[in-house]
Each structure stands twice: as C-alpha cells, then as structure tokens.
Amino acid sequence: MEAPVRGGELAVASSAYHLGSPSPLFFQKPELASSLVLVPLYTDSRQRHPDLVQAEAPRDTATLSSLHHAPVALSRRITEMVAMLSSTKVVGIVSDRCAAIGKTAILATGAAALLLAQSPATAQRPTSADAPPNVLMILLDDIGIDQWRAFGFGGISAPRTPSLDGIARSGVRFRETWAMPTCSASRAAMFTGRLPQNNGVVAAILPATDLAVSQVSPYEMTLPKVLATAGYRSAMFGKYHLGSGPNNPAGNAAPLELGWDRFFGVLVDIDVTDTTAGGVGAGQDYPYGLVDDAAYGACFDLETGSCEDLGKPDGLKGTAVGRLCATRGDVLVPATTCKDSPVSAEDLGRDDAGNIVNNGYYVWPFADLDIRDFEFTGEESIPERAAVLRAALPVDSAEIPRFRGYTETAFVDEAIGWIKERNAENQPWFAVYSSTTVHTPYQPPPPELAPDWDVTCPNNDCSDPSYLPGNRTTANAMIQAMDKEVGRLLTETGIARPTRTGELRLVPENGNTLVVVIADNGTYASIVKAPFDPTRAKGTVYQTGVWVPLTVAGSMVARSKRGSVDHESQVNAVDVYSLIAQAAGVDYASLLPAGADLDARPILGLVTQSRRRQAQTLDGAELDAKGPAGRGILNDAAIKHWVSPFQPSGPRLNYAESGVAAKDAEAAAGLNACYVQSASLCTDQFFYFQGLCEANSGIWYGPPDNPDMPTGHPIYPTCCSFRNAVAAAEAPDGTPGFELPDGSLIGPEDVNILEDYARAIRNRDYKLVALDKPDCRLDDGSTDRAWEFYAVDNRPVAPRLDRSRLNLLSTPDGADGCDDPALSAGQGNACRALYTSMQRVIAGRDFLPGDGNLDGVVDQRDSAEAADYIAQFDTHQSTVFDFVGAPDCDPLTAICADGKTDEADLEFIRQRYGASRAD
C-alpha cells in the first residue's frame, strides 16, 4: 500500500497506539524523507488496520494541533516534529477506525525504518550501582491470593498465568500480605503511605456521591510527587479510582493533581455490560454484552457506519461471531447480511441522546491526560491548578469520550510506548499498569487472548442459556488474557524474555527495573476459589477480603533471594510506598510536613539484604532515627507491635480497615439495599443504581433504572429495612420465609450487613476483628460494636481461615472481649496483645479539623487556601476544606462535610487557629 511521497514531504499515519521518538539522524538526512511510505505500525492480530487513504491535511501547526481525531498530547508531538522539519510538510493523515480517538505515528521504510528500529527508545537504561532503578508496578484488580497457584492456592481450576508466575519465580513472593478490603482504600494507602483513617479514603470511591474529603487530598505527598524530587517521571495506565468527578475540584483530570505526569485509562471501574448487545436484544437477553446465539450476522461499526459480514448461514449458532464483533466495539445484527439488514449503524448501540453506549471492557469512558499539555509555571496554588485541570475533561461521566477496544490491550499499548520514550530519554520512570481485570462485570476477552471461551448452542438450539460459560470460567479467561498482556508489556520493553515453557524470566542484567506485583483487595464473592470463603470476601476485613499476592522482582533483588518465598513477614499494602521510595533512593522522610504521620514501614531490606542486615534494618531504634518524624505507627509506642527486632524476616503484625465515605446527601439518596446472594451479604453503601448492583451479582431493592421495566421487588432503602422484612417473613418455627427472585427462601441469618466500620489486626497465629454493625432494632443509623477472634495461618491448599463458625469468642457479639471464658490463657493473652495494638493504631489517627492543607497546624494558610478554592469555583464546590454543615454532627470528632466550601467553613478554620498535631 505504498503511497507516492515527494521528496521533502512527510506522511503521518493515525493507525497505531504509540508514537515513538524519531531518530535525530532521520531529520538530519533529508534524502531519507523521500523513502517514506504510509503503513500501519502494528502487524499482529491485536490491530485491525484501516484502509490507508491519502488525504489533504492542514499545513500550519496551529491547525494541526487542533485536529479532532488526535489527542492533545499526540498533537503536540506532531507539532514538535513538524517544527523540526522546517522544510517538510504533512501530506497525509489517516484515522484508525478501531479507537474512539486517533493515535499517531511517524512511519518509514528502507534506511529510515532501520534507523527507527535502532532508536534507543527500545533499549533499557544500563544498570549502574548508582543509577536509580526504573519501577514497574503491576496493580491487579480484585484478584486475591485464592486465585494463585504460585502462592499455594488456586482451587480446582486456577487461571493459567505464566507471565505473572515467571515474575514470582524471579523475585520474592510475600505470602502474608494484606491490602484493605476495597479498591480505593488500598490504592490510596499504597500511593500515600498512610492508612485509611489517616488519608481519609476508607471506602471504594463513588465519584457521583462521595465528597472530596473522602478522596485522596491534593495536599498528600503521593508517591509520584516523592519520586519527582529524584527526577522520575510517573505514569499510570488503567484503573485509577483515587478520586475524580464532580465532587473533586480537579474533576476528571484529578490524576495529574496527585502527581502523575501521564494517565491513560478509566477513572473508576469498568461500567456494566450492555445486555441488549447494542439494542439488538432487550433487558438481560445478552448478559455478556455480545450476541451469543448467532451463526452469522452483519457487524456494524458505530463510528463509520461501515458493515462487515461475519460467519456463515449454515454455521453453528453460538458466541463466536457475536464476540468477534463486540470485541471491536461494534454491534452484530444476527441472522442477516450487511446488504439485507433491517437496521443501520445509526439505529444501534446509542442512547436517546445519540451517545455510544458503554459495553464493559470494549466500549468504555476514558481519560487521556498528559501534564505537558498544561502550561503550569509552578507558581500556581493548588486551587488554581485544580480549576485549570477541571476544564480538561467533562465532569459529567456521560460526556467523557468513549474508547472502542479491549481495555487491557489499550493500557499495555500506551504503557509500552511511554516506557520506550522514557528509556530513549535515559530518564528514570515509575509506571503503573493498573488492570481492570478481574473486576465485575465479567465479560470474555478478545478471541486472540482467550481462544477457548467460545461455545456453540446444543443441537443448534439456543433457547436455554445454560450453555453459556459461567462467571468462574469467564473470570479465569479474563485473568489469563491480562497475563498475556503483562507478558507483552515485559517483553516489548526488554524487562523480561520468554522461556521454553512459556513463562517469563526477568533479565535484570539487561536493565535496571524493579517490578512490584500486588492486588488491591481480595476476590469478589462470586468467583472465590475453594477453600476460601465467598461470604467473607472483597469488601470485608476477613482473610478472603484482604489477603493478596505480592511479588517484588528485578534488578534490586539479591541473587540469593530470587525465587524465594517469605512465609513470615506481615507486609501491608501501605508498605509499597516506602518500598518504592527507598528503591529510588529518596529521603522521603524529609519531604513530609512537620509532624506528618506515615504508616508505611521500610521493607526494601527484605529483598535486598541478608537476614542479619534485615534484623538491623528492622530494629525499632534505627527506624526512629532514620524513619519519618512524627506520630505515625512507625514512630510511636506501637512500633514494637508492628516491627519486631527479634524476627529478622520482617514485620510481625498486619492491619486492615474499611468504613463509609462522606457523601453528598442529595446524590446518596439513590443508595438502596443490594443483596448479593452468593455472599449472603447486603450493602446500602456502594450501589446507587440497579445496573451496578446487578453487575455485581446482586438483587436490587431500589427504584428501577428504567421506570417502564419495574424490578418486581419491594423497595428497601437500607439493609436494616431489608433484613427486618426478611425476619418478619420467618415462620413461627423459624423456617425461612422470604422469597428471592430465584424462588429460594432466606431467613435473617442469611443477611449479613456490611459494617459501617470494620478493623482487623493479626499476628502470625491470631486475628482480632472489631465491627461497627448497624443496629437494625432502631434502623436509624446507630451502630453496635462487635468483637471476633480467630486462629489463622497461611498453610498452602488448606489455610486456617476466619470462618464464622470458628470464632473463638463464645458470647454474643464478643461482649466479654478478650476475657471470654472460652479462651485459653494463651489465647486470652494473644487477644489482649492484639487489642492493645489496635487501640494504639486508632489513637494514632491523623485527624486535625481545620487543617485542610495537611501541614499539621490550623492557621492563616488554611483559611487563605480555602478562600482561594471559593474564588476559583464557588461556595457550592466540595473541597478538602469542607469541615462543617452536615446536620447533627460534631466537626471536632467526626467528618461533617456538607459538599460545599463556604463562609461557615472559613469561620470554623479561624476559630481553630493554633490547633496542631502536637496538641
């Protein structure tokens, strides 16, 4: 498909996901420009190539930078290149039909192609004893330790993960790692180095309802900000979920406010699947968002209106044809051809406003952000920056652009391009590939990543949907597809190479990269692997909800420790902060405001040092001398409980917590009871509309999303009202009497309500749990404290878990606590030690009302910055300076935000002048 190009002219093709840095030699050799041709950048099965048609293009850089199909960052790169090519003009721009936006690449053949192939963009920086390492963090979504053979579990049918297994066998596996129970709380802990009670993010963030005080504060010294002081560039590709949307002053450009230089991905979670498959069906006809009962059909591209015939009329009916079309972001009209289709692209896959409808992992709202697209001088205040960032993307999630293509492939494409650019610049980098797998909704990956998923209808009869693969099979396929993309990320950036067995082997001698793999919380109930407990999974502080895999591999891992397993160290997600900061050689303690609390414990020595050196590094006295100043867990009286100098393998206690976010009262009115039968769990904290509840395998007891399609269920605004109704339906003999939609009957003992606040702390042998449960006798928001105590261990295959029947406390709700008569003397002592440690953690809470900028004192700077926010926005904007306004709330003891920052907040700050952490 060569296009004749005249000497001195340059063809620009928008057909690939990565814009590589061109070789300077290329621009110094004008004779090479005459050999340029217009070709696609990728040639494998992941990329569908459009027909390349030469088109007239704008000839001035100002017009070029405003092209509709080029994102701002890529337009800027084109502009820079055009400026370098002073005698060259652009003659061709081609749009890629696969994506919602165009991507751009300079392409060449002959000598020019050879020069580009040899560009340093594909090479790792040389390893040096003094060079700071690059850091690649692979952050997994909802994949608890129960899924992993490499960690001794995986159940009967563990997903095949040769890439992640290869990383595990090249580094150190930590088998006693805890995260927080929910996505946002864990991610905030990792990137701020502070526990949820200190950073304010105690629950999964819902941008539509959760206020700024329950999102990551722009005043936090986040990990990207820390690394920037050492010259690092930071980027995240994939799921963000640290705070965005209308209640965040920076809106949907908030990732840049927290220090990321580059972000590409989804701001929260993947949306629900389109169970109508683009309007072809109705209601829940197509649960996976694809036509699953067709032998052939017309596949319509919703952007171009073009159509392609797929399958054969005499073929077998099943999922293959529909999946092939859906994975492109297109819509299949079954049992027809493009010529004979009764509908056109304009009739499909759009809402009443004409917007393309989200469809799980194939059509999704995305943010494409680059700090270089903003002309910040460094003199702006945080409120001023927020106002500029907020304008970069629509705040309404319905107006955010849609990407058409598989999430994990798009994320990895962007990550590879960005890493290669950093390597070409010989600049240290911190990259996070944050997968959306295996969060709900469950949806099969593209055929090339999961070839075994498709099924045909028995006897060509598709009337009974039981032939479809279930959630567990689909989830395995999603994890395996993600693993393949991890392999591509590592091999194409030179961090690893494949072995004969298909696994990956890291090659630290070829570069200088630290690789950290961790999950954000445990597995969701519906796909938990045996013998773990689906009734105590993600969202709870029980083992299945917080026990996650952690692997640290790469250039900094001592040779003697590569392939080793740490069975003892109680590592926490919050410790990832210090691990990476220490690896980069940053004195992060000096960057914190005076008196600031830091909960991250130094664990780098667990992978880089001998056991003797570890014992010295983990000694409490040395931590006090070299660690962060302040009252954090590392530095107060609780230090001996968190870090034991007598256990050289590492920290000996672990901690997790979860709570309820501060919410906008009007928006939160949509929250209703959602009952997840597989987990016997009810929550009224997270699911604010029917589709979201049902996408998480729940039964919705709220108003229907479509008033014309009632659910047929009564409405219960709280889980207490639902549980009370279940109890009222119970027969006099105790027989369950409340009927679920599937016809099964449940009783009150089958309804466990997610706690308002939950804490757990453990040592090697025991675990103490404190639960603030709603008091359903009153159903007025009040809570009762309950205690539970368990014996736990980490044995492979059959670990001792904290199941409800194994609670060692015999009195109702653990009323007698550690003095329970059922406990032995040794158990009682262990219980009391854990209780004391938990109380010390709680006492260390960083809560200083009025201190919005987190500098440890309430003063004029707080009131000035609060006033700045009001000036930049108005008195109706939620900010971190929103301290008062919620009814019946004491701002000195609780978060009383009302969703607006106004004169009442300013007056509260003034009244608090002089208060400090030292008080």
Side-chain angles (χ1 to χ4, degrees):
M1 295 186 60
E2 295 190 4
V5 181
R6 296 175 294 280
E9 295 179 342
L10 174 67
V12 179
S14 179
S15 65
Y17 291 116
H18 168 53
L19 177 59
S21 300
S23 167
L25 182 59
F26 168 72
F27 295 105
Q28 295 167 6
K29 300 278 187 179
E31 64 272 16
L32 293 180
S34 62
S35 67
L36 286 174
V37 295
L38 207 56
V39 296
L41 180 59
Y42 291 111
T43 57
D44 61 28
S45 61
R46 288 186 298 275
Q47 179 77 12
R48 294 185 295 126
H49 304 303
D51 293 331
L52 300 178
V53 181
Q54 187 168 335
E56 185 65 25
R59 302 179 193 277
D60 63 281
T61 58
T63 305
L64 182 62
S65 65
S66 63
L67 283 173
H68 173 71
H69 287 291
V72 177
L74 296 174
S75 297
R76 185 194 60 253
R77 292 292 307 280
I78 298 172
T79 303
E80 293 171 355
M81 293 178 192
V82 171
M84 294 173 67
L85 289 165
S86 57
S87 61
T88 301
K89 61 181 178 179
V90 178
V91 298
I93 294 181
V94 179
S95 178
D96 181 355
R97 67 185 291 270
C98 298
I101 58 171
K103 302 290 179 182
T104 314
I106 301 283
L107 306 172
T109 59
L114 179 61
L115 290 169
L116 288 172
Q118 294 177 341
S119 166
T122 60
Q124 292 268 319
R125 291 185 301 120
T127 302
S128 166
D130 299 323
N134 300 317
V135 181
L136 173 63
M137 183 177 179
I138 300 173
L139 181 50
L140 309 174
D141 197 7
D142 290 6
I143 308 180
I145 202 168
D146 62 294
Q147 302 286 326
W148 298 103
R149 283 276 166 83
F151 285 81
F153 304 111
I156 297 174
S157 58
R160 299 183 299 275
T161 53
S163 300
L164 291 167
D165 290 350
I167 298 173
R169 294 190 175 102
S170 298
V172 180
R173 279 166 277 177
F174 292 93
R175 291 190 70 252
E176 288 281 36
T177 303
W178 272 15
M180 302 302 144
T182 57
C183 311
S184 300
S186 286
R187 292 162 188 263
M190 294 177 198
F191 295 122
T192 67
R194 287 155 37 98
L195 293 172
Q197 68 170 15
N198 293 331
N199 64 39
V201 183
V202 297
I205 296 170
L206 302 177
T209 64
D210 294 358
L211 300 179
V213 292
S214 290
Q215 304 186 27
V216 176
S217 168
Y219 294 94
E220 289 281 358
M221 194 64 187
T222 62
L223 193 52
K225 294 178 184 177
V226 167
L227 297 180
T229 65
Y232 277 75
R233 293 285 300 280
S234 296
M236 178 183 283
F237 305 95
K239 174 178 172 176
Y240 173 64
H241 213 180
L242 293 169
S244 56
N247 291 313
N248 191 304
N252 288 323
L256 303 186
E257 186 77 302
L258 297 188
W260 304 102
D261 298 300
R262 176 85 172 93
F263 174 78
F264 178 89
V266 295
L267 291 164
V268 192
D269 287 316
I270 289 300
D271 205 349
V272 298
T273 55
D274 176 9
T275 56
T276 71
V280 173
Q284 302 293 314
D285 284 355
Y286 296 116
Y288 288 123
L290 55 90
V291 174
D292 54 35
D293 55 2
Y296 72 105
C299 183
F300 283 94
D301 185 307
L302 301 185
E303 284 189 279
T304 67
S306 61
C307 181
E308 179 182 357
D309 289 322
L310 297 178
K312 298 179 180 179
D314 59 353
L316 295 176
K317 295 180 180 178
T319 60
V321 173
R323 178 162 71 131
L324 181 60
C325 183
T327 56
R328 302 172 176 178
D330 296 342
V331 174
L332 184 81
V333 180
T336 189
T337 63
C338 295
K339 178 181 178 182
D340 299 329
S341 175
V343 295
S344 63
E346 290 76 15
D347 305 315
L348 300 168
R350 297 180 185 273
D351 60 22
D352 294 340
N355 301 312
I356 293 178
V357 174
N358 296 340
N359 186 18
Y361 294 82
Y362 293 115
V363 182
W364 38 281
F366 76 104
D368 187 3
L369 302 165
D370 193 317
I371 195 64
R372 294 174 297 179
D373 297 328
F374 300 86
E375 297 180 355
F376 291 127
T377 65
E379 300 299 321
E380 299 85 1
S381 67
I382 287 179
E384 289 172 339
R385 283 173 54 93
V388 173
L389 291 172
R390 190 180 181 91
L393 276 176
V395 174
D396 185 347
S397 61
E399 298 177 4
I400 297 177
R402 266 49 179 172
F403 193 101
R404 297 168 58 230
Y406 192 56
T407 52
E408 308 313 303
T409 299
F411 301 156
V412 168
D413 284 336
E414 292 286 341
I416 290 171
W418 186 85
I419 289 172
K420 287 183 176 180
E421 288 180 358
R422 302 288 75 73
N423 287 337
E425 297 168 356
N426 199 31
Q427 183 175 42
W429 50 263
F430 171 44
V432 180
Y433 163 49
S434 180
S435 75
T436 53
T437 294
V438 62
H439 200 286
T440 55
Y442 303 119
Q443 189 176 43
E448 61 268 23
L449 293 177
D452 301 330
W453 186 87
D454 284 314
V455 293
T456 57
C457 303
N459 302 317
N460 236 22
D461 179 3
C462 305
S463 59
D464 182 357
S466 62
Y467 68 89
L468 289 173
N471 282 346
R472 291 181 177 274
T473 298
T474 303
N476 271 7
M478 293 168 70
I479 294 173
Q480 289 166 186
M482 177 269 295
D483 184 80
K484 289 182 180 179
E485 292 294 14
V486 167
R488 185 165 68 90
L489 171 62
L490 294 174
T491 54
E492 292 193 21
T493 55
I495 298 172
R497 61 169 178 254
T499 65
R500 293 180 179 178
T501 62
E503 286 190 359
L504 290 187
R505 177 174 298 167
L506 267 64
V507 283
E509 63 273 14
N510 288 357
N512 186 22
T513 304
L514 181 72
V515 180
V516 179
V517 182
I518 190 172
D520 60 357
N521 47 247
T523 305
Y524 192 65
S526 56
I527 62 166
V528 166
K529 304 285 190 186
F532 286 77
D533 189 348
T535 68
R536 297 188 157 198
K538 173 191 173 180
T540 75
V541 294
Y542 298 109
Q543 291 294 87
T544 308
V546 299
W547 194 1
V548 298
L550 169 64
T551 296
V552 181
S555 57
M556 297 192 74
V557 177
R559 289 185 177 273
S560 62
K561 293 196 172 184
R562 294 175 187 174
S564 66
V565 181
D566 186 323
H567 296 277
E568 299 291 335
S569 301
Q570 296 287 333
V571 178
N572 193 280
V574 75
D575 301 329
V576 169
Y577 182 96
S578 63
L579 169 72
I580 294 174
Q582 283 185 298
V586 179
D587 181 13
Y588 55 97
S590 65
L591 301 175
L592 299 173
D597 292 352
L598 188 70
D599 303 314
R601 300 166 294 184
I603 61 169
L604 182 63
L606 299 180
V607 300
T608 61
Q609 300 169 356
S610 67
R611 292 179 68 88
R612 176 185 296 272
R613 177 57 186 155
Q614 287 173 29
Q616 296 171 349
T617 301
L618 291 168
D619 180 79
E622 182 168 331
L623 288 177
D624 279 335
K626 294 187 177 181
R631 298 183 296 108
I633 288 174
L634 284 177
N635 303 289
D636 64 11
I639 187 169
K640 297 299 183 182
H641 293 269
W642 273 85
V643 182
S644 169
F646 304 108
Q647 185 180 316
S649 57
R652 69 169 187 168
L653 284 196
N654 232 325
Y655 177 82
E657 64 182 330
S658 65
V660 179
K663 298 182 181 296
D664 177 87
E666 182 177 349
L671 293 169
N672 286 269
C674 177
Y675 179 66
V676 182
Q677 186 177 4
S678 61
S680 301
L681 183 70
C682 181
T683 178
D684 50 24
Q685 302 171 12
F686 300 118
F687 306 129
Y688 56 97
F689 63 93
Q690 178 186 352
L692 186 59
C693 171
E694 293 177 348
N696 286 272
S697 306
I699 303 168
W700 178 244
Y701 290 99
D705 290 351
N706 184 347
D708 297 328
M709 299 180 65
T711 64
H713 311 151
I715 291 178
Y716 298 111
T718 66
C719 284
C720 272
S721 61
F722 172 68
R723 191 179 190 277
N724 290 340
V726 172
E730 192 173 54
D733 63 355
T735 303
F738 189 92
E739 185 174 356
L740 296 178
D742 65 359
S744 60
L745 299 177
I746 62 171
E749 69 279 359
D750 299 311
V751 182
N752 299 307
I753 300 177
L754 195 64
E755 301 79 19
D756 283 12
Y757 215 97
R759 302 177 187 270
I761 194 165
R762 69 160 295 188
N763 57 23
R764 186 187 64 181
D765 301 315
Y766 293 100
K767 177 175 180 177
L768 181 67
V769 178
L771 307 172
D772 291 342
K773 296 182 175 181
D775 185 350
C776 290
R777 296 167 299 180
L778 301 175
D779 194 15
D780 62 355
S782 58
T783 62
D784 289 329
R785 172 68 57 85
W787 293 94
E788 297 172 1
F789 185 58
Y790 300 92
V792 292
D793 64 31
N794 66 358
R795 287 176 296 178
V797 183
R800 186 161 48 179
L801 299 172
D802 46 0
R803 302 181 186 277
S804 59
R805 60 183 173 81
L806 298 179
N807 183 5
L808 297 175
L809 301 182
S810 61
T811 54
D813 289 335
D816 292 336
C818 298
D819 295 324
D820 193 293
L823 299 182
S824 68
Q827 290 171 338
N829 289 336
C831 180
R832 280 184 284 273
L834 290 173
Y835 175 81
T836 300
S837 294
M838 181 183 287
Q839 294 306 116
R840 286 174 173 165
V841 173
I842 296 171
R845 181 188 179 197
D846 184 6
F847 181 65
L848 181 60
D851 180 25
N853 59 15
L854 303 181
D855 64 356
V857 62
V858 183
D859 57 17
Q860 288 85 350
R861 283 173 293 186
D862 292 293
S863 56
E865 291 179 63
D868 196 358
Y869 268 119
I870 294 173
Q872 296 297 327
F873 300 93
D874 55 38
T875 58
H876 301 290
Q877 178 60 47
S878 171
T879 78
V880 293
F881 291 93
D882 178 11
F883 295 108
V884 299
D888 303 319
C889 185
D890 179 3
L892 297 181
T893 60
I895 295 174
C896 300
D898 64 350
K900 55 187 179 182
T901 306
D902 53 19
E903 180 59 36
D905 297 297
L906 286 173
E907 180 58 29
F908 176 79
I909 295 170
R910 296 185 193 108
Q911 292 176 0
R912 295 275 296 160
Y913 279 175
S916 71
R917 287 195 182 104
D919 295 344

